[in-house]
Amino acid sequence: MSDTEVTPNVIGADPRTAPSPFDRTTTDIILRSSDNVDFNVFSQILIAASPFFETMFELPQPSPSPSRGQAQPKYGKPIVQVSENSMTLETLLRICYPIVQRDVETLEEVESSLRAAMKFEMELPIAVLTDRLEALTYRLPLQAWAVACRLNLEDVAKLAASQLSLCDLENCTPQLLEGVPAGHYYRLHRYLSITPIPESYQLLTPPSSCPTAPSESIDSLLPSPYTVVEVPTPDIVCRSSDDVDFHAHRTVLLLSSSVLSQMIATGDDRSPIRFEEHSRVLRPLLESCYPMSDSVWPKIPSDPFEQMSLLAALEKYNITTHGHHTRTALEHIWEADTAPRNPMRAYCAAIRAGETCSAKVAAQYVLEMDPVETAYVPEMETMPAISYHRLLTYSDTCRRVAAEHCRDILDSLARLEPTRRPDTSPTHGTIRATSMQPAARKVVSWVAEAQAEPAAASQKTSPPLLAWVLRRVEELVSDVERRPTGWSLACNIHVATLFVEATRAEERVWCCRCQVIAEALSLVRDWSNRLDATIDNVRASFH
């Protein structure tokens, strides 16, 4: 049934009559709003104003049936039930009628009335309400941009964007961004960030050359029919949404899931059981019904959206017997491969599936992208803008706290003074790096590089080794400020501690002037720990 036709009366109180001039009995048709208000109107005015109504009135309408609860004619006039409320309907009709217009003050009223005018193809109301929306962009640009996004009004969206700055986006709320896709928000953010703005730049249209994820051909992987496991005498056929048949065992499916048991019990033994899932999802789903060793995992699809579909299917069909094994495999593959390989696409997939934990994992890897704001995938066109806004807020918060910690470590190093001990011709030891971790070997190579620099240790200020540490830490700080995950730090806790102990040991592996670099690296160690802890706190609050 369409949302505008002759329909049953609204259950409840008797319909009210709309105010003048829509209360006249000389009219020939009644429009009944969703909140049960009757508007007495002339069909010829509706026909002149709206091709939608013109076409509808040309079609023969069936006689109302009281047995089906349909509204009987009122005053001999047919009743047309519409899905719009009385305020929206009155606004449209007043614009169409040759009467004094009523001011449309709020964006909410403009949006609902303009949406209805576009639905009914009313040319004059569309023009009048679009002008009103453009006027409101100067007072409420962010809200007007959101309305333009929902109604797909490119010119209004550009006008509103011209009144905005990046700082204004901090005021976005779930209510404001409701119904706005992340792709629109991404293009607005880019629009406010780039200079100059190309004349052809579109706020509401995805780029025509946007990359698409490669699709894996199921035909090359799974012949139909396909046997789920190599066990003799399969006795039931499960058919995927793409018409791939899987031969399985009835008893196994009955024991693994109460939902599958119900599907089998109500199905036809001679026909395949139909599933809504794609074959790349149905295969590991059915494999999850069979016992598996810990070293053997089901065939997990590589696409993040299919992985999330598999996770949802495990819940949907309540695969409890061996489903935990598949869930463990999914979590491992998601964190070790899927999220690092394409973090933004993985984030979109997790958001679409409502998997908050998986989204948080993907968001951590999104921070490794430089810069986050330029990362785009086509799936953002169907992801809610509020989820993308929260991701950018998460990134900005991590950058801010990372910058604060970076300033702290640089200030601490700047205040660091070498501790001098009497020089007794120390013997420099040799560091063996072959048995160290990669991060430790990098630190050792830095030390060797620093010792190879021109000697100026006799100076009481700005010793070369401290200057070297500062340069290296500044490199780390630059990397952390761009990708605030804390994972890119090269300094190892145990190595930094070893440096401090070596300068104070009786054997004196290094001379006393090396103590300053050891203490500096110890500060870097403490800084990295604090930074990681702070980022973890931000991550925990991300939703």
Side-chain angles (χ1 to χ4, degrees):
M1 183 191 304
S2 65
D3 52 6
T4 304
E5 57 183 71
V6 178
T7 62
N9 196 356
V10 177
I11 299 175
D14 292 337
R16 295 176 289 113
T17 301
S20 178
F22 307 113
D23 56 352
R24 298 177 181 175
T25 59
T26 55
T27 58
D28 60 343
I29 199 167
I30 295 175
L31 297 183
R32 179 166 292 170
S33 66
S34 60
D35 52 344
N36 222 23
V37 177
D38 286 348
F39 289 80
N40 295 270
V41 295
F42 294 99
S43 60
Q44 290 303 314
I45 291 181
L46 294 181
I47 291 172
S50 166
F52 179 96
F53 280 110
E54 181 181 14
T55 301
M56 187 184 75
F57 291 147
E58 288 177 351
L59 299 175
Q61 297 294 330
S63 300
S65 173
S67 62
R68 290 183 294 175
Q70 293 180 334
Q72 296 296 304
K74 187 176 181 179
Y75 310 126
K77 293 178 285 188
I79 298 175
V80 177
Q81 178 78 45
V82 296
S83 58
E84 288 69 30
N85 62 31
S86 57
M87 180 177 292
T88 298
L89 198 55
E90 183 178 352
T91 299
L92 291 183
L93 293 176
R94 283 188 174 278
I95 296 176
C96 296
Y97 267 61
I99 57 177
V100 176
Q101 302 301 308
R102 180 173 62 84
D103 289 338
V104 184
E105 297 293 340
T106 67
L107 266 174
E108 292 78 7
E109 189 176 355
V110 171
E111 180 177 3
S112 63
S113 301
L114 184 51
R115 177 178 284 106
M118 298 168 98
K119 165 187 164 183
F120 295 133
E121 305 171 35
M122 293 178 166
E123 184 177 351
L124 178 60
I126 289 174
V128 171
L129 293 168
T130 300
D131 288 343
R132 182 55 182 157
L133 179 59
E134 290 179 348
L136 290 171
T137 60
Y138 298 98
R139 181 162 58 90
L140 300 168
L142 187 58
Q143 293 85 339
W145 167 83
V147 171
C149 289
R150 288 188 285 267
L151 299 180
N152 198 31
L153 300 173
E154 177 71 37
D155 292 340
V156 179
K158 281 187 175 180
L159 178 62
S162 67
Q163 313 299 317
L164 292 169
S165 66
L166 283 174
C167 295
D168 294 322
L169 301 188
E170 297 176 1
N171 300 320
C172 288
T173 62
Q175 293 75 21
L176 188 149
L177 293 178
E178 183 178 0
V180 178
H184 290 0
Y185 189 95
Y186 161 81
R187 283 182 287 277
L188 175 64
H189 198 283
R190 297 296 299 147
Y191 178 90
L192 299 177
S193 304
I194 58 178
T195 305
I197 301 170
E199 292 184 3
S200 60
Y201 192 90
Q202 298 290 306
L203 285 172
L204 307 184
T205 305
S208 56
S209 59
C210 64
T212 56
S215 59
E216 189 178 11
S217 174
I218 191 63
D219 295 332
S220 64
L221 293 176
L222 298 179
S224 181
Y226 177 86
T227 303
V228 178
V229 295
E230 296 300 329
V231 176
T233 63
D235 55 358
I236 194 168
V237 177
C238 301
R239 182 168 294 171
S240 65
S241 61
D242 53 329
D243 291 328
V244 175
D245 287 345
F246 293 83
H247 288 185
H249 298 80
R250 182 185 305 270
T251 303
V252 173
L253 300 187
L254 289 172
L255 293 175
S256 64
S257 164
S258 58
V259 178
L260 293 180
S261 298
Q262 183 66 21
M263 292 175 63
I264 294 173
T266 57
D268 184 353
D269 291 342
R270 295 169 296 178
S271 302
I273 301 177
R274 300 290 312 203
F275 286 79
E276 298 176 350
E277 286 71 25
H278 192 277
S279 53
R280 285 193 289 267
V281 176
L282 185 57
R283 174 185 178 179
L285 179 70
L286 295 176
E287 289 175 343
S288 302
C289 299
Y290 289 79
M292 288 187 180
S293 66
D294 292 340
S295 60
V296 178
W297 285 357
K299 176 62 177 179
I300 303 295
S302 60
D303 183 82
F305 287 88
E306 292 175 352
Q307 290 179 10
M308 291 294 100
S309 295
L310 175 56
L311 192 60
L314 290 170
E315 298 296 330
K316 172 183 175 181
Y317 296 104
N318 193 26
I319 308 294
T320 55
T321 307
H322 305 288
H324 68 280
H325 191 63
T326 303
R327 291 185 184 88
T328 301
L330 270 171
E331 292 172 1
H332 174 80
I333 293 173
W334 184 266
E335 187 162 356
D337 176 68
T338 306
R341 176 163 41 86
N342 196 333
M344 185 59 79
R345 194 160 183 267
Y347 180 75
C348 292
I351 290 297
R352 179 185 294 182
E355 293 292 335
T356 304
C357 292
S358 299
K360 286 186 176 183
V361 172
Q364 293 177 241
Y365 288 98
V366 169
L367 294 184
E368 288 285 297
M369 307 176 76
D370 182 29
V372 175
E373 294 80 5
T374 62
Y376 173 83
V377 293
E379 289 79 7
M380 290 168 62
E381 300 303 328
T382 56
M383 181 176 74
I386 189 62
S387 298
Y388 182 63
H389 170 72
R390 287 168 177 160
L391 180 65
L392 294 184
T393 301
Y394 170 58
S395 173
D396 291 341
T397 303
C398 289
R399 286 179 179 176
R400 176 176 53 78
V401 298
E404 293 173 357
H405 282 269
C406 289
R407 285 193 295 270
D408 290 343
I409 183 60
L410 291 175
D411 290 343
S412 298
L413 291 175
R415 294 192 298 268
L416 191 61
E417 293 290 341
T419 302
R420 297 269 175 201
R421 294 189 306 183
D423 192 355
T424 56
S425 300
T427 301
H428 291 273
T430 301
I431 307 174
R432 295 186 179 275
T434 56
S435 62
M436 294 183 178
Q437 300 177 14
R441 288 200 295 272
K442 185 171 183 179
V443 174
V444 170
S445 68
W446 287 356
V447 175
E449 178 187 338
Q451 291 176 338
E453 294 181 357
S458 59
Q459 299 179 2
K460 293 185 178 180
T461 59
S462 300
L465 289 178
L466 182 55
W468 167 83
V469 173
L470 285 169
R471 288 200 304 274
R472 292 301 186 266
V473 171
E474 286 171 354
E475 294 174 6
L476 292 175
V477 165
S478 176
D479 193 25
V480 167
E481 287 179 335
R482 287 186 295 111
R483 297 191 293 267
T485 61
W487 300 339
S488 56
L489 297 176
C491 294
N492 182 276
I493 295 175
H494 302 294
V495 175
T497 304
L498 178 63
F499 285 168
V500 174
E501 293 176 352
T503 59
R504 295 172 178 171
E506 290 298 325
E507 295 80 5
R508 287 192 292 154
V509 181
W510 289 299
C511 65
C512 60
R513 65 188 177 90
C514 294
Q515 181 179 350
V516 66
I517 187 174
E519 294 181 353
L521 289 174
S522 182
L523 287 174
V524 174
R525 172 203 62 188
D526 295 339
W527 163 65
S528 67
N529 289 342
R530 292 194 304 272
L531 176 60
D532 283 343
T534 305
I535 294 297
D536 284 342
N537 290 335
V538 176
R539 186 178 302 127
S541 62
F542 173 66
H543 61 281

